[in-house]
Amino acid sequence: MKIDKLLNIKYPIIQGGMAYISTSALAAAVSNAGGLGQVATGGFSPDEIRREIRKTKELTDKPFGVNVVLMHPDVDEIIDIVIDEGVKIITCGAGNPAPYFKKWLEADLIVIPIIASVKMAKKVEALGAKACAFEGAEAGGHIGYLNTFPELPAIVDSVNIPVIAAGGVYTGRHIFAAEVLGASGVQIGTRLLVAKETPTVEAYKKALINADDTDSIVTGITTKMPSRVFKNKLAQRLNEIETSQGDMEEFFNLAEGSGKRAVEGDIEGGSIFCGQGLFYLNRIEGVKEILDNLMKEYKSIRGNFKN
Ligand SMILES: Cc1cc2nc3c(=O)[nH]c(=O)nc-3n(C[C@H](O)[C@H](O)[C@H](O)COP(=O)(O)O)c2cc1C
């Protein structure tokens, strides 16, 4: 897997930007453990983002990135902060990256857009992306319609830049499967939600650990912003409203600010973004332990297939 060489990191593992979750503590822990940590911009103000980038620089001397949410109301200011702070790697999604590419390339950034289709992959390659991350609908958070397993080889065959597989990666076996399908690296999100270094309350992590494999659900399909979330009371109510063609004003009122509410401890009334692999979340662990075990298992399973 060659994304480690492009990004100058030990393991071919990127920590996905996670709104409200990936602060400097998580990003630096991932980078120190050999992956690529990323500071999120989703859910944070420009001042908070600058502060978290600076803290990350204090906590690690390894490469790290920033995940630029393109629909952030302060996206222009955030892009200036990223460049000003000397960040060298960004991922970006939730919007059209085209207007920003010239500025990014002039600043010598490695830009890795998150894409959800062959069309988007080809577009970002033409714009000058050094790699792209294909995120399948198994992932936690805002999702597209295609899944990692069927679509990844289609993306890989359609572009010449390295493709990172995001969505549904929880074990070394998943990393090897992504490699077999042509990925040059993986991006993980949900697997890290039970890491000690995330800023969520313990009840948030415990809810995911105690969940069944069927406990993620997609809400917001009718809003054109589908999100995969933990099936708590809020998600079930949102789902009820949508499937019964109920009051969308109530839907939006309930959804407003729900990500922040969850991180602060409202486990039933907040939105906990999470992917389909809840089966694999079994205990609270440190980031280093998670990454080391992923790579240990990946190497072991890969070795088994050599003969
Ligand atoms: C709690 C949570 C918040 C997320 N927030 C963002 C975000 O702000 N920006 C983004 O590009 N992706 C976001 N994602 C997606 C992740 O960056 C990553 O691509 C995804 O989690 C990978 O799939 P997985 O959850 O199956 O590991 C989020 C995912 C989760 C679980």
Side-chain angles (χ1 to χ4, degrees):
M1 293 186 125
K2 56 185 173 211
I3 204 67
D4 39 348
K5 288 182 191 69
L6 174 70
L7 303 178
N8 194 22
I9 52 179
K10 185 175 164 203
Y11 295 156
I13 301 176
I14 297 177
Q15 164 247 309
M18 290 186 277
Y20 303 106
I21 308 271
S22 18
T23 58
S24 51
L26 181 65
V30 172
S31 290
N32 284 333
L36 183 83
Q38 292 201 82
V39 172
T41 59
F44 297 125
S45 69
D47 284 349
E48 288 170 323
I49 294 162
R50 191 187 284 277
R51 185 194 67 203
E52 291 306 311
I53 293 173
R54 288 188 176 170
K55 276 201 206 165
T56 311
K57 285 194 271 191
E58 280 166 26
L59 294 169
T60 185
D61 56 2
K62 302 277 190 301
F64 71 93
V66 171
N67 169 248
V68 179
V69 172
L70 296 165
M71 65 178 186
H72 194 297
D74 300 310
V75 64
D76 291 304
E77 191 182 345
I78 289 168
I79 288 169
D80 288 343
I81 290 171
V82 166
I83 294 172
D84 190 40
E85 289 296 327
V87 173
K88 285 294 165 213
I89 304 165
I90 61 167
T91 61
C92 59
N96 178 13
Y100 308 103
F101 252 93
K102 192 168 172 287
K103 197 172 194 172
W104 288 336
L105 295 182
E106 277 170 8
D108 219 12
L109 288 181
I110 295 179
V111 184
I112 308 180
I114 317 292
I115 54 100
S117 67
V118 164
K119 192 173 166 192
M120 285 168 78
K122 285 183 172 172
K123 186 176 162 188
V124 299
E125 178 179 41
L127 285 167
K130 291 274 189 314
C132 65
F134 167 64
E135 191 187 66
E138 303 91 326
H142 296 299
I143 51 171
Y145 296 93
L146 300 169
N147 290 82
T148 306
F149 203 76
E151 179 69 4
L152 183 57
I155 306 283
V156 170
D157 289 350
S158 303
V159 290
N160 293 309
I161 51 176
V163 177
I164 293 144
V169 176
Y170 293 84
T171 66
R173 282 176 287 166
H174 290 118
I175 299 177
F176 183 50
E179 183 177 28
V180 171
L181 294 179
S184 296
V186 297
Q187 170 163 296
I188 59 173
T190 303
R191 181 67 187 84
L192 293 167
L193 291 178
V194 292
K196 279 184 198 141
E197 292 85 346
T198 64
T200 54
V201 297
E202 193 171 318
Y204 182 114
K205 292 171 191 168
K206 289 247 166 88
L208 296 173
I209 288 168
N210 294 330
D212 286 332
D213 53 353
T214 50
D215 278 345
S216 82
I217 184 174
V218 180
T219 60
I221 291 176
T222 59
T223 68
K224 298 202 174 82
M225 277 290 279
S227 313
R228 185 174 294 286
V229 296
F230 176 56
K231 197 174 17 167
N232 60 5
K233 285 203 175 108
L234 173 67
Q236 290 179 69
R237 177 67 197 134
L238 294 176
N239 193 251
E240 252 168 45
I241 296 173
E242 282 194 291
T243 51
S244 64
Q245 297 180 342
D247 178 6
M248 287 310 279
E249 204 177 321
E250 185 194 349
F251 181 100
F252 289 116
N253 284 338
L254 287 170
E256 175 84 33
S258 59
K260 191 158 194 268
R261 286 204 300 277
V263 172
E264 289 170 353
D266 188 356
I267 305 306
E268 289 300 332
S271 265
I272 300 184
F273 283 1
C274 69
Q276 276 187 340
L278 295 173
F279 177 86
Y280 303 100
L281 308 185
N282 298 314
R283 61 197 171 91
I284 298 172
E285 294 164 280
V287 161
K288 183 168 167 29
E289 194 183 352
I290 295 175
L291 261 60
D292 283 348
N293 283 337
L294 281 174
M295 287 309 289
K296 206 167 135 197
E297 191 192 10
Y298 159 72
K299 282 179 187 153
S300 154
I301 193 96
R302 197 174 193 275
N304 289 346
F305 276 82
K306 277 205 173 124
N307 298 319

